[in-house]
Amino acid sequence: MWWRRAQDADGDPGVPANVEQGGPPGGGSGDGLSEALAAAGAVEDPVRRAQRVLGSVQEYLAGVDDDALGGRLGPLQEALIAVAAELPDEAVRELVGVSWRCDLDERAAQDVLVRWVRRPSAETFAATWGPVSGLLTQSTALCGWLTRTMVDEQAAEFRALAREHLTRLLDEQFEKYEFSTASPVWKVLYALGPADRAHWFCLVGDRAADRGDETAAAHRYELADRYGGKGIPERRERLLDLSAHRQLREGTTSAARLGGAGTPTAYRRMLLAAGAVLRGDAAEALPDDPDRDGGGRLRTPTLLIRALDLVQQGRSDDARRHLELVLDAPPASAVEQDLVTNAALVLGALDDDDQRITTAVRTLRARHGDAWQARSLVAPARVVAAVARVDAALLPELGTSAPGGALDAVRRAAAGAALAGAAQAVLLGRPGEQQRLSDEARRLLTGDGAAEAELRAANRIAELAATLSGDDTPQRPVDRLAYAALRQDGALLPVTPEALRLWRELDAESAGDHRSLHHLAIAEHALAHRLDLDGDDTAPEQWRRALRCWARLGADPAFWSDLRSHLAAVVPDATVDDIATAVGHAQAQLSAHLLEPHIARVLQLRRSDPERARAHVQILHTAPFGADVIEAARRRLTREAISSVRGLLREDHLDRALEEARSWAAVDAGNVPLAELLLDVGIERVEKVGRDEFKWAADARPLLEQLADVVEPIRAALNLTGRELITRRRAHVADGDHAAFSAKLARFEFWLGKSQLYTTYDRRRTDPFHSMSGYRTAGWHLDVAIVLGLPSRAPFSAARELLVLAGKLARGSSVGFN
């Protein structure tokens, strides 16, 4: 749209005299607008008058076409300015509606908006910002005016509301705004200050972390780091602490996953110790001095974990002393109250004190309802037995009535997980694992059962294994021959040449069914594993053949229906929903499970045999599965790379970090985040410039030039080479990940150019015949850095000054460094 600035600036355009006095603004026109405005203007109460004027405007707009509207724009604008004096939000929203139908005078728009800026409504701010954002998008001049006006001393409330709303908007719609440049959201946030995108990335990252959205928080911190944000390591530590706590609550006890990247904090060491106790290991990671390491906050949980560790070691007397210390300390929070209650539960279990157990569980039940079981460190069965002996009337409150009680729900959830594992084991041809998990599901669903019932279940499991492996009479003769060929010397092998030949022939002739294809997929997969472990050059193609078979099988609904029927026969106590959920889980996770071996092989081979590791990366890239599954696998590898390199950087092992980053880049040279790791190694090593800049440059230049050669192929793939950038004077990037790489590359190019400039100058001071080409390459890199877009803060703000100096020195000027 086009904007026209009002010609007549005399007087206060916000108080149209005609309206105040009851006269028609702009004169009569015969369309009823002037008469309606005049009648509305005669109302004495200012608020009611504004409401009447607004109603007249709305009624007129509802009945006029756009062509006629342009001729009456003057009176309409004056009327809305008058409305804005009392009802600024409503006037602004109506003004925006008019702007979509005809041109507006910029001055009139400012007169309405300024009243909103000075008198915003907290209740309707969000509803008004949406239309205003569209208005500001149309007019960059009006957007600039608003950002200048909002710093007015009368706009303090507006600034507070805008900061709160736009921060929430950025948080909730982050993908929409993270890389946008023209959005009014960013322009207003920058005006609110600070004008630093990294700051806002950190802020919304903190919000995501606080609500438990770890993936979003990590992504936002990653972007903040790429844009030069401060305090990122501390934020990542806090996020790792939150993640470790969540994982432990959800049942994860793996030390590697709970520990996270780098050296764990005191809080995470406490969680590691808790995980070790849950695994049955020694709690060696506990902080030595919880009062010092955690500021006193870790004292109660550390004492409790130590007590549980001592219980596992059989040192009951020492455990009692620790538990008594927990009970003696007054709890400082709701979390500590649960810890103290659990200390009483454990102490009661140690001393066979049913009354203490009952009192403690009553407290847990009062706080958490039926969720008390998830909060109890003593097994629910032990608790229920104690309560039954002391206070049987409490049992119904604990949700122990079956079926449908809380304990019954716990049993069914565990049985569902076992069924899902059994379905996956059947799918991947693992009969031993299948039998163990099916037995577990049956026991969970039926209780302990008798030996005879266990025997019947074992027989049903054997029947299932035979049916799915091909050893059942209804199948085709070729299937039975192939299955028989798997038996050699009394053992059942996953693949033999004869069995594979028969199933391949059956498949080639389209004479098999989904069961035949299942046998073939398992056999092809087993052969791929064997060839890969033997280092056979044909392994990659064999992997692809196996994955194609699995992809076909996964797309066959008859196979999944058959699997549901067989699982129902094995575990008849499971409901239809139990079976459907288990098979649905196996179906959803099949592709990810099949790609898992390739991730594992990349991790195993990337150092010892990078060529074979690259082959597995290529298999991942070309797997016949959905793009989301493949991308998730690639992200797994990227996270491993980022974690290992950054951990070394944090511990100041720079040479090892560089070597680690090189090994990852050699495996997947087209991965942009991996290339960023190499830039990180260079940037983090050279960003701390000491007093002697010439010495700094001499140390930094070899590393930076080495890294520049490594990342050049990535730059070429993204059309970010120096020649292309300088030729077209701007960077074209395809997506957000590439934009972030471009931002970091700008910083890298700055340091590379600066180091070349200083070292060339230093060498020519002692050797006047030393080549001046270093000045030209330094200028080249500095120019590229400027084109890519540098942060406005120091030292990057000196880029243009250094570029000019490099140009002068390259032409033989006698200028030098100050």
Side-chain angles (χ1 to χ4, degrees):
M1 68 178 273
W2 295 95
W3 289 83
R4 300 192 304 272
R5 184 172 297 278
Q7 300 299 314
D8 183 6
D10 295 335
D12 181 3
V15 187
N18 288 340
V19 174
E20 293 290 339
Q21 298 168 4
S29 67
D31 56 14
L33 174 62
S34 299
E35 293 77 5
L37 292 177
V43 176
E44 292 186 6
D45 181 73
V47 176
R48 290 185 58 202
R49 181 170 63 247
Q51 292 170 340
R52 286 282 302 275
V53 171
L54 181 63
S56 299
V57 169
Q58 292 171 334
E59 184 177 356
Y60 173 73
L61 291 173
V64 68
D65 59 41
D66 292 353
D67 292 335
L69 181 60
R72 303 292 283 148
L73 186 60
L76 281 171
Q77 291 181 153
E78 290 183 359
L80 289 175
I81 291 169
V83 171
E86 301 296 335
L87 305 172
D89 280 74
E90 291 84 345
V92 166
R93 291 196 292 270
E94 201 63 44
L95 180 81
V96 175
V98 173
S99 76
W100 290 108
R101 299 180 60 181
C102 67
D103 296 344
L104 287 179
D105 287 336
E106 187 173 313
R107 179 64 60 81
Q110 293 176 4
D111 287 340
V112 174
L113 285 170
V114 76
R115 285 161 172 77
W116 177 56
V117 169
R118 293 175 178 172
R119 287 184 53 201
S121 166
E123 291 76 16
T124 58
F125 187 89
T128 305
W129 170 260
V132 169
S133 178
L135 190 65
L136 300 180
T137 302
Q138 296 177 69
S139 172
T140 55
L142 190 62
C143 187
W145 169 86
L146 179 69
T147 58
R148 293 189 298 273
T149 303
M150 58 186 270
V151 300
D152 187 301
E153 62 180 10
Q154 300 180 56
E157 184 180 1
F158 178 88
R159 290 194 296 274
L161 291 172
R163 185 181 295 273
E164 178 185 356
H165 176 67
L166 298 187
T167 302
R168 184 170 63 250
L169 199 64
L170 179 61
D171 182 25
E172 294 173 351
Q173 302 179 35
F174 188 74
E175 292 182 356
K176 175 180 177 181
Y177 294 112
E178 57 182 325
F179 294 113
S180 65
T181 56
S183 170
V185 169
W186 280 117
K187 294 178 180 179
V188 173
L189 285 176
Y190 284 169
L192 291 167
D196 178 0
R197 189 165 292 214
H199 165 84
W200 297 102
F201 285 163
C202 284
L203 186 61
V204 295
D206 293 344
R207 291 171 69 110
D210 289 340
R211 66 171 176 269
D213 192 347
E214 296 155 18
T215 301
H219 174 60
R220 295 169 188 188
Y221 293 153
E222 176 89 13
L223 290 177
D225 188 32
R226 294 178 184 180
Y227 283 90
K230 302 298 182 184
I232 305 301
E234 294 78 9
R235 283 182 161 88
R236 287 197 173 111
E237 285 289 355
R238 176 174 175 269
L239 187 62
L240 287 171
D241 287 351
L242 293 171
S243 176
H245 178 261
R246 176 190 58 77
Q247 290 183 87
L248 188 64
R249 289 287 303 274
E250 292 175 354
T252 298
T253 61
S254 162
R257 292 176 63 183
L258 293 178
T263 303
T265 60
Y267 180 77
R268 237 175 303 143
R269 292 205 306 276
M270 182 197 72
L271 297 181
L272 282 167
V277 170
L278 290 173
R279 293 194 308 271
D281 297 338
E284 298 173 349
L286 275 174
D288 296 327
D289 186 349
D291 290 330
R292 181 198 67 200
D293 291 346
R297 296 179 299 106
L298 304 185
R299 175 176 172 77
T300 298
T302 298
L303 286 170
L304 181 56
I305 293 168
R306 180 66 73 194
L308 297 175
D309 185 34
L310 292 168
V311 169
Q312 285 189 162
Q313 298 176 37
R315 298 165 57 186
S316 298
D317 291 340
D318 291 336
R320 286 187 181 89
R321 282 195 291 273
H322 280 75
L323 293 168
E324 293 290 356
L325 288 173
V326 173
L327 294 175
D328 289 343
S333 65
V335 172
E336 285 200 8
Q337 288 174 3
D338 279 354
L339 296 179
V340 172
T341 304
N342 268 291
L345 272 174
V346 175
L347 194 56
L350 279 177
D351 294 337
D352 289 325
D353 187 341
D354 291 344
Q355 184 60 61
R356 174 167 255 170
I357 291 175
T358 301
T359 301
V361 77
R362 185 181 285 112
T363 302
L364 278 183
R365 173 67 177 77
R367 288 196 200 119
H368 306 294
D370 288 344
W372 68 266
Q373 302 161 70
R375 310 279 178 159
S376 172
L377 291 176
V378 177
R382 174 72 178 86
V383 172
V384 168
V387 172
R389 287 189 290 267
V390 174
D391 186 3
L394 181 60
L395 286 177
E397 296 180 30
L398 298 181
T400 58
S401 56
L407 290 182
D408 185 55
V410 171
R411 285 197 299 269
R412 294 204 72 81
L419 275 174
Q424 198 72 58
V426 170
L427 185 60
L428 300 177
R430 300 169 182 168
E433 183 180 347
Q434 162 207 324
Q435 181 167 342
R436 177 180 63 80
L437 290 169
S438 296
D439 275 341
E440 180 180 330
R442 187 196 59 76
R443 285 195 299 269
L444 284 164
L445 289 166
T446 61
D448 291 336
E452 184 180 354
E454 292 181 2
L455 179 61
R456 285 199 302 271
N459 291 337
R460 286 197 297 271
I461 293 166
E463 292 166 5
L464 170 63
T467 301
L468 290 181
S469 60
D471 192 21
D472 60 332
T473 52
Q475 289 195 357
R476 292 169 175 77
V478 175
D479 273 319
R480 294 199 298 276
L481 286 173
Y483 183 72
L486 294 177
R487 294 188 179 276
Q488 291 188 0
D489 298 326
L492 184 64
L493 303 178
V495 62
T496 62
E498 178 61 18
L500 187 58
R501 180 186 66 79
L502 289 168
W503 275 317
R504 281 180 176 176
E505 290 177 354
L506 197 64
D507 188 57
E509 297 169 2
S510 300
D513 60 7
H514 62 270
R515 294 186 185 180
S516 305
L517 182 58
H518 185 210
H519 301 320
L520 177 61
I522 293 173
E524 297 280 17
H525 212 75
L527 178 59
H529 270 286
R530 181 188 301 168
L531 294 175
D532 194 12
L533 293 176
D534 292 343
D536 195 299
D537 291 341
T538 64
E541 184 51 42
Q542 178 58 37
W543 278 116
R544 292 186 177 92
R545 182 196 292 264
L547 292 177
R548 287 194 293 270
C549 286
W550 282 115
R552 289 168 52 203
L553 184 69
D556 189 343
F559 173 76
W560 300 107
S561 175
D562 204 19
L563 183 56
R564 283 192 291 272
S565 300
H566 287 307
L567 277 179
V570 171
V571 192
D573 300 299
T575 67
V576 173
D577 288 342
D578 291 334
I579 298 296
T581 300
V583 174
H585 177 81
Q587 186 174 7
Q589 295 299 316
L590 175 61
S591 301
H593 275 293
L594 293 171
L595 294 183
E596 192 67 30
H598 303 288
I599 295 173
R601 291 299 277 164
V602 171
L603 297 175
Q604 292 168 358
L605 298 171
R606 67 181 178 86
R607 288 184 175 279
S608 60
D609 195 341
E611 185 174 346
R612 290 175 63 199
R614 275 196 302 274
H616 281 280
V617 170
Q618 288 303 311
I619 292 170
L620 283 175
H621 291 181
T622 59
F625 304 132
D628 56 334
V629 176
I630 295 172
E631 183 58 28
R634 291 193 64 180
R635 282 199 301 269
R636 277 275 311 278
L637 291 176
T638 300
R639 285 196 298 270
E640 292 286 346
I642 290 172
S643 174
S644 60
V645 173
R646 284 196 172 144
L648 291 169
L649 288 173
R650 276 195 296 271
E651 295 168 7
D652 207 27
H653 299 310
L654 298 176
D655 291 336
R656 289 172 55 195
L658 176 58
E659 185 58 33
E660 184 78 357
R662 279 185 171 279
S663 72
W664 280 105
V667 167
D668 189 4
N671 194 310
V672 173
L674 291 183
E676 281 193 60
L677 290 177
L678 292 170
L679 297 184
D680 277 334
V681 171
I683 291 171
E684 293 190 23
R685 183 162 187 170
V686 305
E687 270 195 329
K688 296 177 182 178
V689 181
R691 291 185 178 181
D692 189 343
E693 294 194 291
F694 292 102
K695 184 180 184 306
W696 163 84
D699 292 338
R701 180 173 175 176
L703 171 65
L704 293 171
E705 289 181 338
Q706 189 179 21
L707 290 173
D709 290 338
V710 176
V711 301
E712 186 64 25
I714 303 295
R715 298 179 62 171
L718 300 181
N719 296 318
L720 292 175
T721 62
R723 183 175 300 278
E724 291 169 323
L725 288 168
I726 290 176
T727 300
R728 64 174 182 251
R729 302 305 302 173
R730 64 178 298 179
H732 294 293
V733 289
D735 55 35
D737 220 27
H738 296 175
F741 174 74
S742 173
K744 188 163 288 185
L745 182 61
R747 292 162 57 197
F748 179 84
E749 287 284 323
F750 170 83
W751 292 117
L752 178 57
K754 181 175 180 178
S755 68
Q756 290 174 336
L757 177 60
Y758 273 76
T759 53
T760 304
Y761 183 84
D762 193 36
R763 290 169 187 172
R764 284 186 57 80
R765 285 193 300 183
T766 56
D767 178 10
F769 298 101
H770 184 79
S771 174
M772 291 195 298
S773 62
Y775 294 140
R776 289 189 291 273
T777 56
W780 179 276
H781 289 295
L782 289 166
D783 195 18
V784 168
I786 292 169
V787 172
L788 286 168
L790 286 167
S792 57
R793 58 181 170 83
F796 307 110
S797 55
R800 294 188 182 278
E801 181 182 343
L802 292 174
L803 176 60
V804 171
L805 179 59
K808 290 180 179 179
L809 291 171
R811 293 191 296 272
S813 172
S814 60
V815 300
F817 293 92
N818 294 327

